[in-house]
Amino acid sequence: MSVPDYMQCAEDHQTLLVVVQAVGIVSEENFFRIYKRICSVSQLSVRDSQRALFIRYRHHYPPENNEWGDFQTHRKVVGLITITDCFSAKDWPQTFEKFHVQKEIYGSTLYDSRLFVFGLQGDVTEQPRPDVAFYPNYDDCDSVEKRIEDFIESLFIVLESKRLDRATDKSGDKIPLLCVPFEKKDFVGLDTDSRHYKKRCQGRMRKHVGDLCLQAGMLQDALVHYHMSVELLRSVNDFLWLGAALEGLCSASVISHYPGGTGGKTGTRRLQGGSLPSEAANRHRPGAQEVLIDPGALTTNGINPDTSAEIGRAKNCLSPEDIIDKYKEAISYYSKYKNAGVIELEACVKAVRVLAIQKRGMEASEFLQNAVYINLRQLSEEEKIQRYSILSELYELIGFHRKSAFFKRVAAMQCVAPSISEPGWRACYKLLLETLPGYSLSLDPKDFNKGTHRGWAAVQMRLLHELVYASRRMGNPALSVRHLSFLLQTMLDFLSDQEKKDVTQSLENYTAKCPGTMEPITLPDGLTLPPVPFTKLPIVRCVKLLSLPTSLRPQKVKSLLGQTMSTKSPFIYSPIIAHSRGEERNKKIDFQWVQGDVCEVQLMVYNPMPFELRVENMGLLTSGVEFESLPAALSLPAESGLYPVTLVGVPQTTGMITVNGYHTTVFGVFSDCLLDNLPGVKTSGSTVEVIPALPRLQISTSLPRSAHSLQPSSGDEITTNVSVQLYNGETQQLVITLENIGLEPLEQLEVTSKLLTTKEKLSGDFLSWKLEETLSQFPLQPGKVATFTVNIKAKLDFSCQENLLQDLSDDGVSVSGFPLSSPFRQVVRTRVESRPTNASEGSKSGDLGHLKDCSLNWKLLVQLGGLAEKLSESACLHPQCQEFKLRPSCLHSKSFYPLSCFSCPGRVS
């Protein structure tokens, strides 16, 4: 026997082997349609008994393995079912002859056989034949299952008769010596009358009868016969058959302890006819169908009914620990024979399946390690692939995931071995994909954003390189680009500088033929590879939405009283602070963007590569409103620090817009990078309101710009400072030009003035204008210009205004005095600090005020006279002058006298 069955399990020792084959030319689809229906009848229960019978079907079985049927009866082909197409009566004799030829291949072991003929009609089909069934086509064959039931019934009758024939002790008859094929030459010339020879014959026959009892559903009888066989064979050192007897004992004990089976197959077999003992309970078998056999025909021939109830059930069954010990002993005996390598290998596999049920992984790995080094004949490449794949599945079964991945990877490499004329790159690629879980590797880049890296990075990179190479040899460049992109994105931290250069160079070569996209790739077996965005090329650490420039920033409309039209909501304090990053990112920002205006988002990025990184076509990803992203191109230095990058775009509609991320093109791979997938990114919000398009107005004046500002800007206003010099009583015109430089018409114009001073010390109309002519040009269309004139008149009344110059100085007005008839001179300079403006007091002054966005710097020339007159040593007695608290020393200090004293009626002459 040279072909091992890696799917063998302990419960297969109680099955009858039936081979289903096609005769002539039968399509694969039709054959497996019938084969599937045949396999559905895989178990039966014997009526009026607690015995069960199980069938194992194979559509291919090596004839040389059939020669080991006496050694272990479950390896013997006892049934043959053939399927053929025959559409003409003249072809029938030839078809029937092929059926007989097929029977001769397994003729020495067959109990019964059947031939299913499809397509033949006429007189030939009306002739009754017990071993032939005719059907007009593959759709009209409802009785297939019933035919199989009858077929299994005949197998059971033959099996039972053979069991009873071998089990009966016929005194005086010599017991034949059962042999395996390679032993026959060793027993030529032996003394057949010796006691040693007779014990050998008895021990082997007992073992054989135990196999038949196990197949016939007599579990306890099988245990008794196996125990007796072990004792006889051990006494004559018949190690090969002793190992078989021990393995049979283990199989019967496994069936008793684990009625669900150890093969891990789907489905459960259930038996009819009342309650069954544990050995006949459910077992995993595909497509179970119950069949009842009446043993009445057997009793009429003198065959005794089941006597297993009379035998002790407990003492002959091995304990779970003893099962493994006996398996080890049996395997040690098999290892003594070179030609028993397949038997030894299959025994290791069966023991591993039992240990997997017992959750004893370490001991199971020892059996598997032994199976790896069992030397079989020179295996073909396909057999090597099968062997390594089964080893991988068994390691997976006992929980050795990395070991399982290793053998599956070896099987993948075997698919493309140099000795194979046509390498199977698709099979290699499929097997490599199956190794990914064993190496803690997922092809979803989101699994690598969780922080801690799992698995050996060096092995994972090697596996990814093999996936890239296999997909390229398959002729799928898009798949190569996807795997190489995944390697660069997820393993960037583990690549050396030279490896980074090599990988990026390879990626550029691949993308030159097939650019990388963000579309998922679906493989033929249904697996979907998600897209791989390059969130690390470059790495983004901060995302900030920027407000519009001051000149374009929308302002809330204010009334003439300076109050905003919208009311603020009440402030409610809450001690609960939301720490969710998602809520922080999606919260609304307090400024607005304007439809049609260029908006900006600032990113802080850096380049982790040891060479210059070129980022092409970088733009924003948004949702909520229609948005035109204006792409940008970057060139980041090697391993640069945080570098500010501004991405711009234009919202085309109004509403709430959310910045979801950005897109890039790096090394020929297009990536959509979402903010939610960027770990460690700081952002103050990503949602902003887009308001309708606003008109844009450009203002210019006829006066020259001032060198300094009289009042600091509040930040939300656009101010222009112009300078004008006037004498008291002088008037000058200020021409203001309004130009519509936007795309929306200007519909309204409002001009207001505001006082800088809070005192009612000034009188007269400083500013005056008329808007009738200007408003007649409104609405002002885009590109049009309108003007209006503001008259500036300097009019100051110095009578009865105490401390006027000091007040003007406090209000930011420069006052200079030039003596015409007096040697005294005083200059009052502007103070740095300015006083707050009170709008309520300013409203009392009528037209006194100040034009918004235009500060007027007044320079007043005041003629001072009468300073040469002497004052009395006493102070002025006028009530208005008492507040100055003048002292006599003022006569000698040559200090400046209050102006009010010169016009005071109570002054001293």
Side-chain angles (χ1 to χ4, degrees):
M1 185 166 56
S2 59
V3 181
D5 184 3
Y6 295 100
M7 303 307 297
Q8 284 255 333
C9 48
E11 53 267 26
D12 285 341
H13 282 249
Q14 67 176 347
T15 61
L16 296 176
L17 178 58
V18 176
V19 174
V20 183
Q21 292 183 337
V23 174
I25 301 176
V26 180
S27 68
E28 183 177 350
E29 179 183 358
N30 290 333
F31 172 78
F32 281 103
R33 282 177 61 186
I34 303 301
Y35 179 76
K36 184 178 180 180
R37 295 178 61 181
I38 292 173
C39 291
S40 66
V41 188
S42 60
Q43 64 187 37
L44 58 89
S45 61
V46 180
R47 188 176 302 168
D48 300 329
S49 174
Q50 294 181 341
R51 294 161 60 182
L53 186 68
F54 299 94
I55 309 299
R56 186 170 92 257
Y57 296 97
R58 293 288 184 269
H59 58 79
H60 175 74
Y61 192 74
E64 61 269 20
N65 286 14
N66 197 38
E67 299 176 1
W68 289 70
D70 290 336
F71 182 72
Q72 291 174 326
T73 56
H74 73 283
R75 301 182 185 277
K76 182 187 301 184
V77 178
V78 297
L80 175 66
I81 301 175
T82 56
I83 302 172
T84 186
D85 287 340
C86 185
F87 303 100
S88 174
K90 64 179 181 180
D91 296 333
W92 166 242
Q94 184 179 2
T95 301
F96 194 69
E97 181 63 25
K98 291 180 180 179
F99 170 57
H100 281 285
V101 172
Q102 197 72 17
K103 286 171 58 177
E104 293 177 359
I105 298 177
Y106 307 102
S108 60
T109 60
L110 283 181
Y111 293 173
D112 202 355
S113 60
R114 291 290 185 271
L115 172 63
F116 289 171
V117 182
F118 293 87
L120 186 62
Q121 298 179 358
D123 298 337
V124 177
T125 61
E126 297 177 359
Q127 300 176 6
R129 295 177 181 272
D131 57 346
V132 180
F134 296 97
Y135 299 100
N137 52 63
Y138 287 93
D139 296 324
D140 187 9
C141 54
D142 297 336
S143 63
V144 168
E145 287 81 4
K146 183 62 174 64
R147 295 272 188 174
I148 299 300
E149 293 175 9
D150 297 339
F151 173 65
I152 295 175
E153 192 172 321
S154 67
L155 295 181
F156 177 77
I157 294 173
V158 177
L159 171 65
E160 189 70 4
S161 64
K162 286 184 176 292
R163 181 189 68 82
L164 293 175
D165 181 61
R166 295 292 177 92
T168 303
D169 185 9
K170 299 176 182 179
S171 58
D173 293 345
K174 294 185 65 173
I175 299 176
L177 178 64
L178 302 177
C179 300
V180 295
F182 71 87
E183 286 183 320
K184 294 179 180 180
K185 64 179 184 303
D186 298 332
F187 294 118
V188 177
L190 288 180
D191 184 7
T192 58
D193 294 330
S194 65
R195 185 178 178 182
H196 188 278
Y197 182 83
K198 290 181 179 180
K199 276 193 173 183
R200 186 191 297 267
C201 293
Q202 290 175 359
R204 293 189 178 190
M205 184 56 68
R206 282 288 183 182
K207 188 267 171 193
H208 181 68
V209 174
D211 288 347
L212 294 176
C213 291
L214 191 60
Q215 287 182 309
M218 303 173 64
L219 181 60
Q220 297 303 326
D221 283 1
L223 288 169
V224 172
H225 286 295
Y226 283 139
H227 274 288
M228 296 174 63
S229 174
V230 168
E231 296 300 326
L232 289 170
L233 295 173
R234 194 185 299 275
S235 64
V236 295
N237 292 332
D238 192 356
F239 295 119
L240 181 61
W241 284 78
L242 175 58
L246 289 171
E247 187 181 355
L249 186 61
C250 291
S251 298
S253 301
V254 168
I255 293 169
S256 178
H257 284 291
Y258 310 106
T262 62
K265 301 175 183 177
T266 58
T268 304
R269 62 183 190 178
R270 299 186 181 275
L271 305 177
Q272 297 179 351
S275 60
L276 299 176
S278 60
E279 64 268 13
N282 298 335
R283 178 181 172 221
H284 294 289
R285 284 295 177 188
Q289 179 170 332
E290 297 78 12
V291 181
L292 299 180
I293 295 179
D294 187 0
L298 303 180
T299 56
T300 59
N301 294 331
I303 300 176
N304 295 328
D306 186 5
T307 59
S308 62
E310 302 174 4
I311 303 174
R313 296 180 180 274
K315 68 176 183 179
N316 295 318
C317 184
L318 299 176
S319 66
E321 293 76 13
D322 291 338
I323 291 174
I324 303 306
D325 293 337
K326 297 303 181 184
Y327 263 125
K328 290 181 180 180
E329 185 179 355
I331 291 171
S332 67
Y333 293 145
Y334 291 150
S335 64
K336 298 178 181 293
Y337 299 88
K338 180 179 179 181
N339 294 321
V342 173
I343 304 295
E344 180 186 358
L345 177 60
E346 291 181 357
C348 290
V349 171
K350 296 170 191 175
V352 168
R353 297 188 188 278
V354 175
L355 286 167
I357 296 293
Q358 298 179 358
K359 308 296 184 183
R360 297 161 66 180
M362 290 302 296
E363 295 180 60
S365 67
E366 295 177 4
F367 281 92
L368 280 178
Q369 193 68 22
N370 180 68
V372 171
Y373 293 106
I374 294 177
N375 187 19
L376 302 178
R377 62 172 176 82
Q378 187 64 31
L379 300 178
S380 65
E381 300 300 336
E382 292 183 0
E383 290 173 333
K384 291 179 181 178
I385 295 171
Q386 183 189 20
R387 182 179 185 182
Y388 294 133
S389 298
I390 295 299
L391 286 173
S392 172
E393 293 178 6
L394 292 174
Y395 272 112
E396 183 73 23
L397 185 64
I398 63 176
F400 284 40
H401 305 295
R402 195 166 61 213
K403 198 79 168 182
S404 170
F406 169 77
F407 278 102
K408 188 149 290 186
R409 182 165 165 261
V410 173
M413 295 299 102
Q414 202 66 44
C415 294
V416 292
S419 57
I420 300 180
S421 57
E422 295 182 1
W425 287 106
R426 293 189 180 276
C428 173
Y429 180 80
K430 183 176 182 299
L431 289 173
L432 286 176
L433 285 180
E434 295 176 2
T435 65
L436 296 178
Y439 291 117
S440 302
L441 190 60
S442 166
L443 292 181
D444 191 349
K446 293 181 180 179
D447 295 338
F448 289 82
N449 294 336
K450 300 177 181 179
T452 306
H453 184 87
R454 297 177 61 245
W456 291 349
V459 179
Q460 291 172 345
M461 287 189 291
R462 177 66 179 271
L463 181 59
L464 290 173
H465 275 294
E466 291 170 352
L467 285 173
V468 172
Y469 187 75
S471 57
R472 184 177 72 84
R473 294 299 300 268
M474 286 168 51
N476 195 335
L479 206 54
S480 301
V481 171
R482 180 60 51 86
H483 288 311
L484 205 54
S485 302
F486 182 85
L487 169 63
L488 187 59
Q489 167 69 17
T490 59
M491 301 295 168
L492 185 63
D493 298 336
F494 304 100
L495 294 173
S496 64
D497 290 349
Q498 185 59 42
E499 287 174 336
K500 291 178 181 178
K501 295 179 182 179
D502 295 340
V503 171
T504 54
Q505 183 62 42
S506 299
L507 184 59
E508 287 180 330
N509 294 337
Y510 284 129
T511 54
K513 302 176 182 178
C514 181
T517 65
M518 290 295 292
E519 296 296 328
I521 298 178
T522 303
L523 301 177
D525 58 355
L527 179 65
T528 300
L529 300 182
V532 181
F534 276 160
T535 58
K536 294 185 178 180
L537 297 173
I539 297 177
V540 177
R541 282 289 177 252
C542 180
V543 178
K544 182 180 180 181
L545 278 65
L546 302 181
S547 179
L548 295 174
T550 305
S551 59
L552 300 178
R553 193 174 302 166
Q555 302 290 340
K556 293 183 179 180
V557 178
K558 297 181 180 180
S559 66
L560 292 177
L561 297 179
Q563 298 177 349
T564 58
M565 298 179 64
S566 62
T567 58
K568 295 183 179 181
S569 61
F571 171 75
I572 301 176
Y573 169 76
S574 173
I576 302 176
I577 301 175
H579 293 283
S580 173
R581 186 178 67 174
E583 294 180 2
E584 180 182 351
R585 284 180 172 173
N586 295 328
K587 69 180 183 181
K588 182 181 175 182
I589 301 176
D590 57 357
F591 57 78
Q592 294 85 27
W593 284 350
V594 179
Q595 175 187 359
D597 287 351
V598 177
C599 305
E600 298 178 338
V601 177
Q602 187 181 73
L603 281 67
M604 300 301 294
V605 304
Y606 71 89
N607 172 25
M609 305 300 282
F611 50 83
E612 183 181 15
L613 180 64
R614 296 187 303 275
V615 183
E616 303 172 359
N617 193 28
M618 189 173 186
L620 294 172
L621 297 176
T622 61
S623 62
V625 303
E626 184 180 349
F627 188 81
E628 179 186 359
S629 178
L630 304 179
L634 310 178
S635 182
L636 301 176
E639 298 178 348
S640 63
L642 286 178
Y643 186 83
V645 173
T646 302
L647 302 180
V648 299
V650 180
Q652 305 295 325
T653 56
T654 61
M656 301 302 297
I657 184 173
T658 300
V659 177
N660 300 319
Y662 60 93
H663 64 82
T664 60
T665 301
V666 182
F667 304 125
V669 178
F670 181 82
S671 302
D672 287 340
C673 304
L674 302 179
L675 297 183
D676 292 338
N677 298 333
L678 301 179
V681 174
K682 298 179 180 179
T683 176
S684 59
S686 59
T687 301
V688 67
E689 181 184 3
V690 179
I691 63 175
L694 298 177
R696 296 174 60 183
L697 178 65
Q698 179 173 295
I699 301 178
S700 58
T701 64
S702 59
L703 294 178
R705 298 179 65 88
S706 176
H708 61 277
S709 173
L710 296 179
Q711 184 180 20
S713 174
S714 62
D716 58 351
E717 297 178 348
I718 304 175
T719 61
T720 299
N721 301 306
V722 296
S723 176
V724 62
Q725 179 176 345
L726 298 176
Y727 290 95
N728 191 23
E730 185 180 357
T731 302
Q732 185 169 341
Q733 289 186 342
L734 169 64
V735 180
I736 298 178
T737 304
L738 309 176
E739 181 181 0
N740 187 353
I741 61 174
L743 300 178
E744 302 292 330
L746 284 168
E747 298 179 354
Q748 298 180 356
L749 176 65
E750 180 181 358
V751 180
T752 59
S753 62
K754 184 173 64 175
L755 285 176
L756 283 180
T757 180
T758 60
K759 301 180 177 61
E760 300 180 16
K761 305 297 183 181
L762 304 180
S763 61
D765 299 334
F766 279 86
L767 303 177
S768 62
W769 58 83
K770 293 183 180 180
L771 295 179
E772 290 78 5
E773 182 179 355
T774 303
L775 293 177
S776 64
Q777 304 178 40
F778 278 67
L780 190 63
Q781 299 300 323
K784 299 298 182 179
V785 178
T787 61
F788 76 95
T789 303
V790 177
N791 296 315
I792 305 173
K793 182 178 181 182
K795 184 178 180 182
L796 294 177
D797 185 2
F798 297 104
S799 63
C800 299
Q801 299 296 319
E802 301 88 350
N803 245 2
L804 175 60
L805 295 184
Q806 183 67 29
D807 292 338
L808 291 177
S809 174
D810 291 342
D811 291 333
V813 180
S814 177
V815 181
S816 299
F818 297 93
L820 300 181
S821 58
S822 172
F824 300 104
R825 178 181 178 185
Q826 176 68 32
V827 178
V828 180
R829 302 187 182 276
T830 306
R831 292 188 181 181
V832 177
E833 65 274 7
S834 60
R835 296 186 179 182
T837 301
N838 190 327
S840 61
E841 294 185 9
S843 60
K844 299 178 182 179
S845 301
D847 293 336
L848 293 180
H850 131 88
L851 180 62
K852 183 179 181 181
D853 301 335
C854 179
S855 299
L856 301 180
N857 185 12
W858 306 95
K859 186 175 182 181
L860 306 179
L861 302 180
V862 182
Q863 179 177 356
L864 306 178
L867 293 181
E869 299 180 9
K870 292 184 178 180
L871 294 177
S872 172
E873 292 186 359
S874 61
C876 180
L877 300 178
H878 192 272
Q880 294 181 355
C881 298
Q882 288 294 330
E883 63 185 60
F884 290 94
K885 300 179 181 180
L886 297 179
R887 299 187 305 275
S889 58
C890 293
L891 293 174
H892 308 287
S893 61
K894 300 182 180 180
S895 61
F896 179 74
Y897 291 93
L899 291 178
S900 58
C901 292
F902 293 98
S903 60
C904 175
R907 65 174 180 163
V908 180
S909 58

